[in-house]
Amino acid sequence: MKTMKHLRQLVLATACAAGLLSAAPPALAQTNDQFIAIPSYRVGPYGTNGQSYYGGYVDYLNYVNLKEGGVNGVKLSWEECETEYNNAKGVECYERMKNKNTVTHGTAINPMATGISYALIDKTAEDKVPLVMIGYGRTDAVDGSVFPYAFPLVTTYQMQVSAIVKYLAGKNNGSLAGKKIVFLYHDSAYGKEPIVALQAESSIGKFKLVEIPVAHPGNEQGAQWLRIRQENPDYVIFWGWGVMNQTALKAAQKVGYPRDKIVGSWWAGSEEDTIPAGEAAKGYLSATWNVAGKDVPVIADIDKVVYGAGKGNMQDKNKLGSILYNRGVSAAIATVEAVRTAQDKYGKGKVMSGEQVRWGFENLNITDARLKALGATGLLPEIKTSCDNHEGSGKVKIQQWDGSKWVLVSDWIEGNKNLIHPLFKASAAKYAKEKGITPACMK
């Protein structure tokens, strides 16, 4: 009897698992689909963030299929591979998925992890697969003559931190001279990326910069905040991720540091960061390149079209309209628009190769008029790319947590491009010399 009971349980479990698999979006990998490989993370120390971001990303791909029948009739397909925000697993996922479709080789790879993007930057160039780093990644890849297949789109970490400095200067009659700013950062490639730009800003702005790292995953910050209390800075610029963010806000409250003097990066400015911190988050500021809310027409339409058809990706539908969900949608919009741009040149209704989609990314022109047509006005800034500028925007807004929601407190702010972009050029030139690359724009 016990054996039969176990057998029935096994059959039931197998049936349930099959039901779950059948409910998931199909990962088609046929030559007549525009296949998109998604090395995602929905578990691990940053899984909560990944769930919202990739939920929005996948929902938009599904939305394009349901609403438009694909891109000019070409259906989008995709497959996820769990990386757990781990570099080695990210590379393994890329190698596993890049040949799922012999035509597209993945169309574009968006790992949403700076460390993974560093590990893939040479591989993707060799394989002719666009590496899309929307709001993260190796930022000197702005120079497309050296990094033709890498796209740190929308806004880079350096331009973001420069915009934050400009915002803070604006709060002080246009100057931060004589002020002290602590840069509290995740001790990883992500956290270190903006340091060179912040040092340059400190030099010309004549403010004192104090750099304080926090070890991964960031749930231990007692010593760092005791030092911040001792330093007594005018502001803290905060480059956190995952559990590090709520931990920082609670620690700031504990040592009595005002949260309205802390400005986080866009990866430290989501509901996943503030809601768990409770009252400690009230007044906290962060940069963002996308707005929150379900009142954005495309977000409301995704709810109607995708979730109305029972094909939504999010288990917690209440997260529709959250910062990270909307960011995932905006990242998918940029990807789909690159495919659409490529089709405009190479043939509407045709499956685009990785090389053709690369051209699409390098020639994006997402205007306000196009954003309006997509129902995405205000969701993200205009994006116009070229060989010289794989970033395409460089603008952010500043938002503030009022205790229950994010409220915008600025319009679009562009970082100091004349200061920052030469830093990209110099870094890219050094990389080209090390790798024996002759910088040249691809046709």
Side-chain angles (χ1 to χ4, degrees):
M1 289 295 291
K2 188 173 182 181
T3 303
M4 289 299 295
K5 181 180 179 181
H6 284 176
L7 181 60
R8 284 196 299 270
Q9 289 174 337
L10 179 61
V11 170
L12 179 60
T14 303
C16 289
L20 287 171
L21 287 172
S22 65
L28 304 175
Q30 302 168 7
T31 56
N32 58 337
D33 297 314
Q34 194 73 46
F35 178 71
I36 299 173
I38 306 176
S40 61
Y41 47 91
R42 297 185 187 244
V43 300
Y46 310 106
T48 301
N49 304 69
Q51 287 167 21
S52 296
Y53 179 91
Y54 283 106
Y57 192 91
V58 170
D59 275 349
Y60 185 76
L61 300 181
N62 217 349
Y63 172 75
V64 171
N65 282 346
L66 292 170
K67 182 84 172 182
E68 304 177 33
V71 182
N72 294 314
V74 178
K75 285 291 186 77
L76 302 170
S77 62
W78 56 90
E79 180 177 320
E80 287 190 59
C81 181
E82 178 62 50
T83 72
E84 298 182 30
Y85 199 77
N86 176 280
N87 294 352
K89 289 184 178 179
V91 173
E92 180 184 336
C93 281
Y94 168 74
E95 294 292 348
R96 186 186 310 166
M97 293 191 294
K98 71 180 183 183
N99 290 320
K100 287 286 184 177
N101 184 303
T102 57
V103 176
T104 67
H105 297 293
T107 299
I109 296 291
N110 175 21
M112 224 254 285
T114 296
I116 295 175
S117 66
Y118 264 78
L120 291 179
I121 203 158
D122 290 335
K123 292 177 180 291
T124 50
E126 182 179 343
D127 295 332
K128 298 181 179 179
V129 175
L131 174 62
V132 186
M133 305 171 289
I134 302 181
Y136 66 91
R138 181 165 184 143
T139 45
D140 57 1
V142 165
D143 185 350
S145 70
V146 177
F147 299 95
Y149 279 88
F151 295 88
L153 283 173
V154 186
T155 306
T156 55
Y157 289 141
Q158 283 90 335
M159 286 292 281
Q160 177 187 196
V161 82
S162 179
I164 291 172
V165 168
K166 183 181 286 188
Y167 171 78
L168 294 177
K171 305 285 283 184
N172 291 272
N173 298 316
S175 175
L176 290 171
K179 303 291 186 183
K180 182 190 290 187
I181 295 178
V182 161
F183 180 57
L184 183 68
Y185 65 96
H186 192 281
D187 195 8
S188 64
Y190 152 62
K192 295 173 184 176
E193 274 286 321
I195 290 177
V196 63
L198 199 47
Q199 289 172 342
E201 287 282 6
S202 171
S203 179
I204 65 171
K206 295 181 169 50
F207 60 85
K208 182 178 180 181
L209 177 64
V210 179
E211 300 166 18
I212 302 178
V214 176
H216 161 83
N219 53 359
E220 295 291 338
Q221 296 179 44
Q224 286 88 347
W225 281 96
L226 284 175
R227 184 179 172 193
I228 288 171
R229 185 170 67 179
Q230 293 166 355
E231 293 282 355
N232 192 27
D234 296 280
Y235 299 101
V236 172
I237 295 177
F238 177 56
W239 235 250
W241 183 227
V243 70
M244 177 178 169
N245 299 337
Q246 57 181 281
T247 301
L249 294 172
K250 292 176 182 176
Q253 182 188 49
K254 187 175 181 179
V255 302
Y257 192 82
R259 265 70 74 211
D260 61 0
K261 299 289 185 182
I262 307 173
V263 185
S265 78
W266 49 59
W267 298 122
S270 70
E271 292 84 354
E272 282 81 358
D273 308 315
T274 50
I275 291 174
E279 190 64 22
K282 191 172 182 179
Y284 168 62
L285 298 148
S286 87
T288 184
W289 51 263
N290 68 280
V291 298
K294 289 178 67 175
D295 55 346
V296 178
V298 69
I299 303 299
D301 208 31
I302 287 172
D303 190 2
K304 177 183 176 182
V305 172
V306 179
Y307 287 81
K311 294 187 177 182
N313 190 264
M314 294 294 295
Q315 289 184 341
D316 183 359
K317 191 184 168 186
N318 291 324
K319 290 191 174 181
L320 268 69
S322 68
I323 283 288
L324 288 176
Y325 179 87
N326 286 11
R327 188 164 298 162
V329 170
S330 63
I333 285 174
T335 301
V336 171
E337 289 304 291
V339 173
R340 200 184 306 276
T341 301
Q343 283 193 14
D344 287 343
K345 178 177 174 65
Y346 296 105
K348 289 185 178 181
K350 296 181 179 180
V351 176
M352 295 290 102
S353 69
E355 294 170 276
Q356 291 167 334
V357 175
R358 186 215 70 82
W359 187 92
F361 276 112
E362 193 168 270
N363 291 275
L364 276 175
N365 187 19
I366 305 176
T367 63
D368 280 337
R370 181 58 184 157
L371 289 171
K372 183 178 180 180
L374 291 168
T377 298
L379 180 62
L380 67 161
E382 292 181 295
I383 303 173
K384 185 174 176 59
T385 55
S386 66
C387 174
D388 289 331
N389 187 352
H390 277 194
E391 182 180 38
S393 169
K395 297 178 181 179
V396 301
K397 290 184 177 182
I398 304 297
Q399 61 183 2
Q400 187 169 34
W401 185 252
D402 71 358
S404 62
K405 64 182 181 303
W406 288 106
V407 178
L408 292 172
V409 295
S410 83
D411 201 346
W412 292 112
I413 303 172
E414 184 177 38
N416 187 344
K417 193 173 181 178
N418 291 332
L419 174 69
I420 303 302
H421 273 237
L423 297 176
F424 296 151
K425 283 286 186 183
S427 179
K430 181 181 178 182
Y431 178 88
K433 185 176 180 180
E434 290 172 353
K435 297 287 185 175
I437 297 171
T438 301
C441 290
M442 295 182 68
K443 299 293 186 181

